[in-house]
Amino acid sequence: MDGYENANRTYDNANRVGSEAMNNALKSMSIMTKGFQQIANETGEFTKRSVEQSAQMFEKFSQVRTLDKAVELQTEFARTVYENWMSQANKMAGLYSDLARDAYKPFEATGYAAAQAAKDEARQAG
């Protein structure tokens, strides 16, 4: 194989790997966009639920006539808010983890394609 054919093959391989890298980057961006939309929707829903729970608590609190009942209601509300927050934090951590994993997958394919192309080049050159 002469130098021209070798250079042409190298160029074609680099072009193919570059094209795959661009396609995989676009896939990753699409995955990230969908993931951030899901996170934004979940955050909005959590905020809506929290506001509704707070409104219900204030309504109940306005009807309380004794101090011990007010303390009991406040304690119950604090416990509920804490449990909901922890549940939401775990859910959000899972969403972010899934997003990171899924967004990285296309780049794994790019890395594998580049490594394979380099192996092929080394084999044919050697």
Side-chain angles (χ1 to χ4, degrees):
M1 183 177 296
D2 68 357
Y4 174 75
E5 290 173 344
N6 199 15
N8 194 28
R9 187 187 73 249
T10 300
Y11 174 78
D12 288 342
N13 284 341
N15 191 26
R16 180 180 50 80
V17 169
S19 178
E20 288 176 11
M22 181 57 72
N23 288 336
N24 288 332
L26 291 173
K27 286 178 189 175
S28 180
M29 290 301 293
S30 176
I31 290 167
M32 288 178 62
T33 300
K34 289 176 186 174
F36 283 129
Q37 285 173 344
Q38 182 181 10
I39 288 167
N41 289 340
E42 181 58 39
T43 301
E45 289 297 316
F46 176 73
T47 302
K48 181 180 173 185
R49 288 188 309 268
S50 295
V51 169
E52 289 171 355
Q53 288 172 344
S54 294
Q56 289 171 357
M57 193 286 287
F58 285 120
E59 184 178 325
K60 288 179 183 177
F61 199 67
S62 69
Q63 297 170 1
V64 170
R65 301 289 177 233
T66 63
L67 181 61
D68 59 331
K69 185 66 176 169
V71 170
E72 180 184 324
L73 185 61
Q74 177 61 27
T75 302
E76 177 187 329
F77 179 71
R79 180 187 48 78
T80 302
V81 167
Y82 174 76
E83 289 172 354
N84 290 343
W85 174 254
M86 292 306 295
S87 174
Q88 185 68 17
N90 287 331
K91 188 174 192 176
M92 295 301 284
L95 289 174
Y96 277 105
S97 176
D98 292 347
L99 173 60
R101 183 191 63 239
D102 294 344
Y104 182 71
K105 281 182 184 178
F107 291 112
E108 287 178 340
T110 299
Y112 178 76
Q116 192 62 41
K119 285 180 185 177
D120 293 346
E121 281 298 317
R123 191 173 327 135
Q124 290 179 3

